Amino acid sequence: MVAKRVSKNSKGHKSSKHRRRPKLKLRGFNNLTKTLSFNIYDVCYARRPQARKEYLEYIDEEYNSERLVRILTEVADIIGANILNISSQDYDPMGASCTILIAEEPVDPKPDQVLAHLDKSHLCVHTYPETDSKSGVSTFRVDIDVSTCGKISPLKALNHLIESFESDIVVIDYKVRGFTRDVKGRKHFMDHRLHSIQQYIKKRILDRYQCVDINIYQENLFHTKMRLKDLDLDQYLFSINADDLSAEEQQHIRTVLEQEITEIFYSKHIF
């Protein structure tokens, strides 16, 4: 559900019912840790072994460590973070990863300070290409974690991350940990209103997806799963076109893809 706009009364002023709460006056640093975790899946059908091999080579090169660094650097810019350190790696035979340490304010850390900062504010991404020779389906999974402390919110990067990858299925977790104190010494376990991760996703993106929320509000834990509503076969085929296939072949491939996507979406073996 997308958050509604603030209602206004007849005089053009915001009604008191929806009036924005004043900002918290904190005692020192905001100690809340906010972590946004993604699983993004791209699903593809490649009929022949050579085509599956070529798909894995293509996706591995398309999202190599250099590309991942660019994406996470853009994320850091979007959320207003300062980059402390960048580490990236391509793996043999396939896969890549990137980790960026960030801070709310510009700093010039020493090596030991960088290590101490790792568990607080960082961006990291890992890729996992794989293929199933029996069904002909190949999947490309991207795991992304954006963890921040202070005023920086990782939720600002939601739309950019979804659109940076070929996102057939998106699984998102958001957790706020710890507490911070105001000037009166009162503890606050949440510093922003949130009823669904979908509040931060653009409508034009949400319109393309079927979405499910599982939220535990008292634990400040939010979970959203998304899958594309429409299965355009040509968007899932590698090295072949739907028009080159018979109606029976198209239906078979569509069924295989639907089953694969459904099992990934529900995280269980169904078919």
Side-chain angles (χ1 to χ4, degrees):
M1 181 182 294
V2 180
K4 296 181 179 178
R5 291 184 177 180
V6 176
S7 61
K8 296 184 178 181
N9 59 27
S10 58
K11 294 183 180 180
H13 299 294
K14 293 179 182 178
S15 63
S16 58
K17 182 179 179 180
H18 298 284
R19 188 170 295 158
R20 180 178 295 178
R21 292 182 298 179
K23 291 184 178 180
L24 287 176
K25 292 185 178 180
L26 302 179
R27 178 193 293 174
F29 188 73
N30 187 331
N31 292 316
L32 290 173
T33 299
K34 302 156 189 172
T35 301
L36 186 68
S37 298
F38 274 83
N39 297 125
I40 296 177
Y41 296 86
D42 172 57
V43 181
C44 173
Y45 181 85
R47 181 166 52 178
R48 296 184 176 86
Q50 181 60 30
R52 291 194 291 273
K53 180 176 180 292
E54 291 173 357
Y55 167 77
L56 292 178
E57 291 173 348
Y58 155 76
I59 206 74
D60 194 46
E61 178 62 27
E62 182 72 10
Y63 295 104
N64 58 24
S65 62
E66 184 178 341
R67 172 80 180 277
L68 299 181
V69 168
R70 289 201 303 270
I71 291 173
L72 290 193
T73 300
E74 291 164 354
V75 169
D77 183 60
I78 290 170
I79 66 177
N82 293 277
I83 294 176
L84 303 180
N85 180 269
I86 298 176
S87 176
S88 63
Q89 181 66 52
D90 290 298
Y91 298 101
D92 186 12
M94 62 188 68
S97 66
C98 171
T99 299
I100 297 182
L101 304 186
I102 58 175
E104 186 173 349
E105 302 293 340
V107 293
D108 184 17
K110 298 177 182 178
D112 58 337
Q113 291 174 324
V114 169
L115 291 175
H117 197 80
L118 178 60
D119 67 335
K120 289 297 182 184
S121 297
H122 63 273
L123 317 174
C124 64
V125 57
H126 301 273
T127 65
Y128 303 91
E130 68 89 37
T131 188
D132 178 21
S133 58
K134 183 178 179 180
S135 66
V137 173
S138 297
T139 61
F140 174 67
R141 186 179 104 233
V142 182
D143 288 356
I144 304 171
D145 286 297
V146 182
S147 185
T148 68
C149 57
K151 298 178 182 178
I152 297 174
S153 173
L155 291 169
K156 295 179 180 179
L158 268 172
N159 298 292
H160 177 71
L161 287 170
I162 293 172
E163 294 184 318
S164 292
F165 299 92
E166 298 175 18
S167 306
D168 297 320
I169 306 159
V170 184
V171 181
I172 312 170
D173 293 296
Y174 179 65
K175 171 68 176 174
V176 180
R177 295 180 173 87
F179 65 87
T180 192
R181 292 185 187 272
D182 61 24
V183 292
K184 296 181 179 179
R186 182 183 178 187
K187 292 188 289 292
H188 294 268
F189 297 88
M190 193 76 166
D191 63 353
H192 56 294
R193 288 181 177 176
L194 181 66
H195 63 80
S196 170
I197 293 171
Q198 295 182 51
Q199 289 174 238
Y200 287 82
I201 303 176
K202 292 179 179 178
K203 185 179 183 300
R204 62 176 173 80
I205 295 177
L206 288 176
D207 287 345
R208 298 170 53 219
Y209 288 88
Q210 170 193 338
C211 301
V212 175
D213 278 353
I214 303 173
N215 302 318
I216 307 176
Y217 297 106
Q218 63 269 31
E219 297 296 333
N220 293 329
L221 180 61
F222 304 86
H223 177 78
T224 295
K225 295 197 288 190
M226 306 164 59
R227 61 178 289 181
L228 286 175
K229 294 177 181 177
D230 300 324
L231 199 160
D232 181 354
L233 197 56
D234 273 321
Q235 298 298 317
Y236 290 84
L237 298 176
F238 188 80
S239 76
I240 54 174
N241 298 315
D243 291 341
D244 299 329
L245 303 170
S246 67
E248 291 78 13
E249 287 177 309
Q250 290 186 30
Q251 184 56 49
H252 168 72
I253 295 171
R254 188 179 297 275
T255 299
V256 169
L257 289 170
E258 284 281 5
Q259 291 178 349
E260 182 79 4
I261 291 170
T262 298
E263 289 189 339
I264 294 174
F265 184 74
Y266 289 108
S267 301
K268 63 175 63 177
H269 186 74
I270 299 173
F271 302 99

